[in-house]
């Protein structure tokens, strides 16, 4: 392993069919997440093995703190680094307002495969597009590669 956490990245944008509306992202959470614990590296063998032992209770984790974020057709990118653990769900809420649409607040929860986990050393990218009729989520997973000599914004 190269990193003790899993890097979760979200790219949220509007589809072109909502370009005339105002859409504000009000809340964005990962459900039932452990934010910390005891990290142990077993170096008694050639292959290093690492694990997390969690303390405390899991809770909904606010991925990005903002009062509201106005969305556009250009992706808004944010993320978090969390300990390796079972995948739960992505929860967010947005407010939709437009000249032909009465203002409405829309809560949304996307359940993930609870039998899979966010693994340490991996980067998980969720491309989320909000359309008038649906929410499209395209996930991808890659190794979290180290970059020498430069800062990485997360």
């Amino acid at each position: 392993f190269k990193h003790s956490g899993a890097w979760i990245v979200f790219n949220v944008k509007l589809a072109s069919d909502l370009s005339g509306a105002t859409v504000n992202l009000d809340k964005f959470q990962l459900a039932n997440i452990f934010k910390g614990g005891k990290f142990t590296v077993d170096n008694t063998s050639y292959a290093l093995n690492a694990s997390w032992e969690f303390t405390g209770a899991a809770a909904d984790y606010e991925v990005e703190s903002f009062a509201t974020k106005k969305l556009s057709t250009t992706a808004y990118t944010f993320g978090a680094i969390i300990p390796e653990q079972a995948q739960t769900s992505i929860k967010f809420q947005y407010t939709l307002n437009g000249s032909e649409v009465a203002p409405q607040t829309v809560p949304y929860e996307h359940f993930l495969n609870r039998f899979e986990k966010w693994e340490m050393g991996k980067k998980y990218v969720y491309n989320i597009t909000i359309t008038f009729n649906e929410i499209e989520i395209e996930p991808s997973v890659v190794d979290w590669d180290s970059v020498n000599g430069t800062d990485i914004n997360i």
Side-chain angles (χ1 to χ4, degrees), residues 65-130:
S65 293
F66 44 77
T68 59
K69 172 65 181 166
K70 185 176 179 181
L71 297 175
S72 71
T73 54
T74 301
Y76 174 59
T77 302
F78 57 97
I81 298 172
I82 61 172
E84 178 176 275
Q85 60 194 284
Q87 293 183 11
T88 55
S89 68
I90 299 166
K91 296 173 22 173
F92 59 93
Q93 176 179 299
Y94 62 94
T95 303
L96 174 65
N97 192 7
S99 60
E100 297 179 24
V101 178
Q104 56 184 318
T105 299
V106 181
Y108 182 78
E109 185 167 10
H110 178 74
F111 292 94
L112 302 169
N113 185 345
R114 64 186 174 95
F115 297 107
E116 292 184 14
K117 57 176 146 174
W118 286 304
E119 296 179 33
M120 64 180 87
K122 301 279 185 183
K123 179 180 178 184
Y124 297 81
V125 178
Y126 295 90
N127 294 313
I128 301 171
T129 304
I130 299 173

